[in-house]
Amino acid sequence: MVMIVRILVRRLVLLVPLMLGIVLFVFVVMRFSDSDPASAYFQGANPTEQQLHDFRERNGLLDPFPVRYFAFVGDLLRGDLGVSALTRAPVVDQVTTALPLTMQLTFLGLGIALVLALVGGVTAAIHRDRLPDQLIRVVSLTGVAAPGFWLALLMIQYLAVDLGWFPTSGYVNPADSFTGWLRTMTLPALALSLPVAAQLTRIVRTAVVEELDKDYVRTAIGSGLPPVVVVGRNVLRNALMNPLTVLGLRVGYLLGGAVVIETIFNLPGMGKLMIDAVKNGDPAVVQGGVLTIAFGFVVVNLVIDVLYLLVNPRLRSAET
């Protein structure tokens, strides 16, 4: 346990320059944006040039770039993402309101993707080069090639409009009705997860096939152990180490893809928040949303690294 804590501390220290780099990149990109916080603040009020100048001076927009960057980093360390130029509300409050829905969608999609990938990948590996394997291969390749937004539109047309099984849009808080929440989140989660499930299925299938070809598996089955026991107790534990390393990147895809899926299904999450901010020219909200998703991606990858260390003792010894 002490070894894992030591490795975790080392990873956290390495994350500091990465976080600063992300902040710098987002800050620089936003400076090239055409959005003007002063114009957004006085939107529809026909401000004078003096009023615009006074606003920029009061909010430090006329300061040199290094001064503005370090001031922004200082605000971030205090948990301050700025103030919306349109609503005058703190950006952190808007992010706090929208982020839980995006996390619900992301992790529901992740759960669906993991279940489908495990069932499909293990089934294909056990029946390799036979009909089940061929069918799963065709389905997974189709899923990899199909964009999430296209799947979302198809599901809305056939499952929501034609069959009426699910609502076409909207959101129900799980605290109000868990059944309603599940009905509103199922289609978005499926559209988000199917491409990831298709990719992970191929990876799981390859890893399980490689593990099944090892001598200890043939020896265990030859000694009379049921294949189900061998696969469940030994093969899966060893084979899933490689897919686990890919999982962190796929969670990043889910976080980014949730922005598009939320817009299609009109879900009030980070996607809608950021799209509305882009359309209304509110750079503080866009900047805060992008940084939140980027930091979330980094944190998720750190958690995946820790899980990988827990299931792979050889990696722990290599780290030390």
Side-chain angles (χ1 to χ4, degrees):
M1 190 63 184
V2 176
M3 187 183 305
I4 294 178
V5 172
R6 188 184 304 124
I7 296 172
L8 180 59
V9 171
R10 187 186 308 167
R11 296 288 177 90
L12 289 173
V13 171
L14 292 176
L15 282 183
V16 173
L18 176 60
M19 295 287 196
L20 291 176
I22 291 174
V23 173
L24 178 61
F25 176 78
V26 173
F27 191 78
V28 169
V29 170
M30 292 304 300
R31 299 291 77 77
F32 287 101
S33 170
D34 292 334
S35 299
D36 182 14
S39 300
Y41 182 84
F42 292 103
Q43 192 173 34
N46 296 320
T48 64
E49 287 297 325
Q50 184 61 43
Q51 288 177 311
L52 293 173
H53 181 274
D54 290 343
F55 177 86
R56 295 184 182 113
E57 186 175 28
R58 186 167 60 251
N59 290 275
L61 299 176
L62 301 179
D63 293 338
F65 178 84
V67 175
R68 294 166 62 188
Y69 172 70
F70 286 109
F72 180 63
V73 172
D75 291 338
L76 285 181
L77 293 176
R78 294 192 299 272
D80 183 4
L81 291 173
V83 177
S84 169
L86 292 177
T87 65
R88 278 61 161 181
V91 174
V92 68
D93 291 345
Q94 299 183 55
V95 169
T96 303
T97 302
L99 185 60
L101 188 147
T102 300
M103 300 304 295
Q104 292 170 26
L105 178 59
T106 298
F107 285 103
L108 181 59
L110 178 62
I112 294 173
L114 287 176
V115 171
L116 293 177
L118 285 174
V119 173
V122 173
T123 302
I126 294 175
H127 301 280
R128 57 177 151 174
D129 299 328
R130 296 200 292 271
L131 182 60
D133 184 22
Q134 301 298 334
L135 290 176
I136 292 173
R137 181 177 302 174
V138 170
V139 172
S140 62
L141 290 177
T142 303
V144 170
F149 70 88
W150 181 74
L151 291 173
L153 296 175
L154 285 182
M155 290 178 183
I156 291 175
Q157 179 62 47
Y158 292 108
L159 299 180
V161 176
D162 293 346
L163 297 176
W165 291 352
F166 302 96
T168 57
S169 62
Y171 173 72
V172 175
N173 193 305
D176 298 330
S177 171
F178 180 78
T179 304
W181 173 80
L182 197 59
R183 291 188 74 246
T184 57
M185 296 293 284
T186 297
L187 285 189
L190 280 173
L192 185 63
S193 65
L194 287 180
V196 175
Q199 297 170 5
L200 287 177
T201 297
R202 304 306 305 158
I203 297 172
V204 170
R205 189 257 185 202
T206 302
V208 174
V209 165
E210 291 178 353
E211 202 67 24
L212 287 173
D213 287 337
K214 293 185 177 178
D215 292 337
Y216 81 89
V217 175
R218 290 192 291 268
T219 301
I221 295 177
S223 63
L225 285 176
V228 174
V229 175
V230 176
V231 171
R233 183 184 298 174
N234 302 107
V235 173
L236 278 181
R237 184 177 61 185
N238 296 327
L240 293 184
M241 290 183 184
N242 289 334
L244 188 61
T245 61
V246 181
L247 187 60
L249 298 177
R250 299 285 77 81
V251 173
Y253 168 86
L254 290 172
L255 279 171
V259 173
V260 178
I261 298 300
E262 287 172 3
T263 304
I264 294 174
F265 287 93
N266 195 28
L267 297 174
M270 292 294 295
K272 188 175 186 302
L273 178 68
M274 294 169 62
I275 295 297
D276 290 346
V278 170
K279 290 191 297 185
N280 297 324
D282 197 346
V285 176
V286 177
Q287 186 171 259
V290 171
L291 284 175
T292 301
I293 292 177
F295 287 167
F297 175 67
V298 171
V299 170
V300 168
N301 274 273
L302 176 62
V303 172
I304 296 297
D305 284 346
V306 173
L307 292 177
Y308 193 57
L309 289 172
L310 291 174
V311 301
N312 193 346
R314 289 176 298 179
L315 187 60
R316 293 201 296 269
S317 60
E319 288 276 351
T320 56

